[in-house]
Every structure is written in C-alpha cells, then in structure tokens.
Amino acid sequence: MGQQTNNGFGLTKLRVAAGLMLVAGVAVLSSGQTWAQAQLPPGFYSFAPSKQELPVGQLSSQAQADLNAALVAYRAKDFSASLPYLDLPSSEGSIQANWLLAHMFRKGLGVSADQVTAFKHYNRVAEDYVDSRSEVSGNERYFVLDSLTRMANYLRTGHKKAGVRKNVSKALHYYQTAASAGHAGAQYGFGLMYLNGEGVARDRSYGMRWLGTAAQKRYAPAAALLGDIYNESGDKVRALVWYKIAADTAGASLNRRIVKKTNAVVSEISQKKLGEANNLYTRWSSRFPVRTRQAQN
C-alpha cells in the first residue's frame, strides 16, 4: 500500500522507540516473560565493582587547577587550548582528564585524530578501574563506564589504526561490566555479541533482551537493530515501532537509513497496521520518554 500523508511515519526526521512486544502496556519477551520476571544467568554480576571509595586528595593542587582550566576551555569549545592543561592531571590518574584526552584524540578535537593515543587514555581509565575496583559516582562514573565501553568496541573487532588486536573475551568482560552498571552503549554491544555468538554461545533471545534494555534508554542503534530483526522476520508492525523509536534520538547518518527502511515498510502494509504501530509507539514512548540524549557515536 502506498504511503499515507497522515500516518506519522513518512517524515524526514522520524520519531521511534525500542523493540519490545507490548501487551496491555507491559513489555513482554518472546518467551512470554516480562522484563522483571526474566532471570539473569548465574555469575552475571561477577565483574561488578566492589564498594570502595576513591582516595581523598587524588590530585595535587596544581593538577586540579590545570583540570579546571582545561574544563573551562573545553566547555568553550576551545579544544586546542584545553589539551595542554590535561597532561598533569592525566599523569596523576584523573579519570576525567584521561577520558577527555581519549575523547579528543578519538574525535580529532583540537588535535589530529590519533586512535593509538585515544586507546591509551581509555585504557588508563578502564584498567585502573578494573584493577582497583573503586566505587565512582557522578560524572566520573560516566567516564569510567564509557571508557570500558570504548575499550570493548576496540577489542571486539580489533582496530588497525589503534594498533589493537581482536580480543573478544576481554571485550565481553568490559561490555558486561559497563552493561551491568547501566551503560546503554555497553548493553547494545553485549547484546550484539550474544546475537552473533562472539566469544559466547549464540543466544538470540538473550541478545535481543539486552538490545531492548539499551533501547529503553533511547540508544538509537539498539532500537534500529531491533527494527531490522523484526523487519527480516516479517513482523512489519514491530519493525515500524522500533524504527520510529530509533529515529527519536538517531544521528543524521543513522536517521537517513531508518527513513529509507521505514518508508519501504510503510509501502508494504495496510492503514490498519500503520495505526497499530502508531498506537504501540505512543504507549511505549509514554513509558520510556526521551530525557537525555545518549552519546551514540
């Protein structure tokens, strides 16, 4: 059936959310369990950090002053001015300084992109955290979880420019650590490894469950992949719902792909099915609204 102008799907910028089947407004797994009823495998939290405090007075006064100056320049988007101030706090083990250096070298902010240096600084954060098993909170918690996830991304496939060899067991370890602490990108990567059977026995339903968890946090790549899975299985209604969810927070490149796939699905189904998809999307979105934009690249 041709695309309808009032169906809510044929938009340049779509609005969509993550892949769950909804029954009376309750998220349900393919097995019939709700998310709350589903059990994690034994030892799932084996990599969770113990409850310890970071050392008081971790940075010298000069290192703290440099970090403050770096943050002022960074927030003003003067990245080249920010970089020199990060050297001392980084050398003293500042989580934030090392994450900022990793991020800036990975993205080429104020400096030529250098994946080797980016990996080195992500590794400092990740390895120090895993070795010390320190408890962190606030912004530092985000920096640690994101570093673990970035490390897993490098290790899962290997990264030639960073000089990193593929190590799926370590990637799985890092994804699991960050996923169990709630990082959406790690939950996506962890689910993907189970979907594909990378370093673990392939478990499609368990992998999809983690994609759904990431999608609840409005992590667009997870929702888009769920859309692809349902689309390929022939469930066009749920495919549309997931594409619509993904487009709510997708970046420009991913959104272009979602628009193309959504329009193709819309052309294949009836107006009644489009209405069902719209209703499911509305109900899902009311339960999992967009609150903060996830870092999705």
Side-chain angles (χ1 to χ4, degrees):
M1 175 174 288
Q3 182 178 342
Q4 303 295 315
T5 57
N6 63 348
N7 59 37
F9 288 100
L11 304 176
T12 301
K13 174 69 177 177
L14 296 174
R15 300 180 62 79
V16 191
L20 306 176
M21 178 171 66
L22 294 178
V23 177
V26 178
V28 179
L29 300 173
S30 57
S31 63
Q33 292 178 301
T34 64
W35 290 90
Q37 293 168 335
Q39 297 298 309
L40 293 173
F44 179 77
Y45 288 101
S46 61
F47 296 120
S50 59
K51 302 289 184 181
Q52 298 178 12
E53 295 296 326
L54 285 171
V56 177
Q58 186 177 12
L59 296 181
S60 66
S61 58
Q62 184 60 58
Q64 187 61 59
D66 283 1
L67 179 58
N68 292 341
L71 291 173
V72 169
Y74 183 89
R75 288 164 183 157
K77 299 188 183 301
D78 189 352
F79 302 118
S80 59
S82 178
L83 275 168
Y85 287 109
L86 293 170
D87 288 340
L88 180 59
S90 168
S91 69
E92 292 190 12
S94 166
I95 290 173
Q96 188 168 19
N98 276 299
W99 183 89
L100 284 168
L101 284 167
H103 179 70
M104 292 165 76
F105 275 100
R106 181 175 67 87
K107 301 284 286 184
L109 301 176
V111 66
S112 297
D114 182 343
Q115 299 304 318
V116 172
T117 303
F119 181 85
K120 178 183 74 174
H121 287 287
Y122 282 132
N123 188 56
R124 282 184 183 176
V125 177
E127 291 290 352
D128 286 351
Y129 172 71
V130 171
D131 289 346
S132 66
R133 292 182 172 269
S134 298
E135 177 69 8
V136 291
S137 59
N139 287 338
E140 286 195 336
R141 183 176 186 275
Y142 169 79
F143 299 139
V144 166
L145 297 181
D146 192 67
S147 294
L148 288 166
T149 304
R150 300 293 179 185
M151 287 288 293
N153 291 343
Y154 281 111
L155 292 162
R156 177 177 159 250
T157 58
H159 197 296
K160 187 175 181 179
K161 289 185 178 180
V164 178
R165 292 185 177 182
K166 181 177 179 178
N167 187 330
V168 292
S169 62
K170 198 165 188 178
L172 192 71
H173 178 149
Y174 283 158
Y175 277 142
Q176 186 176 37
T177 303
S180 66
H183 191 284
Q187 291 168 343
Y188 169 72
F190 193 56
L192 200 58
M193 292 190 79
Y194 270 91
L195 272 177
N196 297 333
E198 300 174 50
V200 290
R202 188 171 184 267
D203 189 333
R204 187 172 184 271
S205 62
Y206 188 64
M208 288 182 68
R209 177 181 162 200
W210 277 103
L211 295 182
T213 301
Q216 287 178 2
K217 295 181 174 67
R218 294 308 194 118
Y219 190 71
L225 180 53
L226 284 165
D228 289 342
I229 291 170
Y230 282 115
N231 192 13
E232 291 168 7
S233 71
D235 189 337
K236 303 299 183 180
V237 170
R238 274 192 279 181
L240 277 177
V241 173
W242 285 115
Y243 286 146
K244 190 170 171 64
I245 290 166
D248 279 344
T249 55
S253 178
L254 178 59
N255 190 68
R256 284 193 294 271
R257 184 175 71 81
I258 294 169
V259 169
K260 184 177 180 180
K261 291 195 172 189
T262 297
N263 289 339
V265 173
V266 166
S267 69
E268 299 174 12
I269 63 176
S270 67
Q271 187 67 34
K272 180 180 178 181
K273 293 294 185 182
L274 290 175
E276 289 178 16
N278 266 325
N279 289 336
L280 286 173
Y281 165 68
T282 299
R283 291 160 62 189
W284 193 96
S285 297
S286 68
R287 295 190 64 207
F288 304 105
V290 177
R291 291 192 174 91
T292 58
R293 187 175 180 85
Q294 295 285 332
Q296 301 186 359
N297 57 18

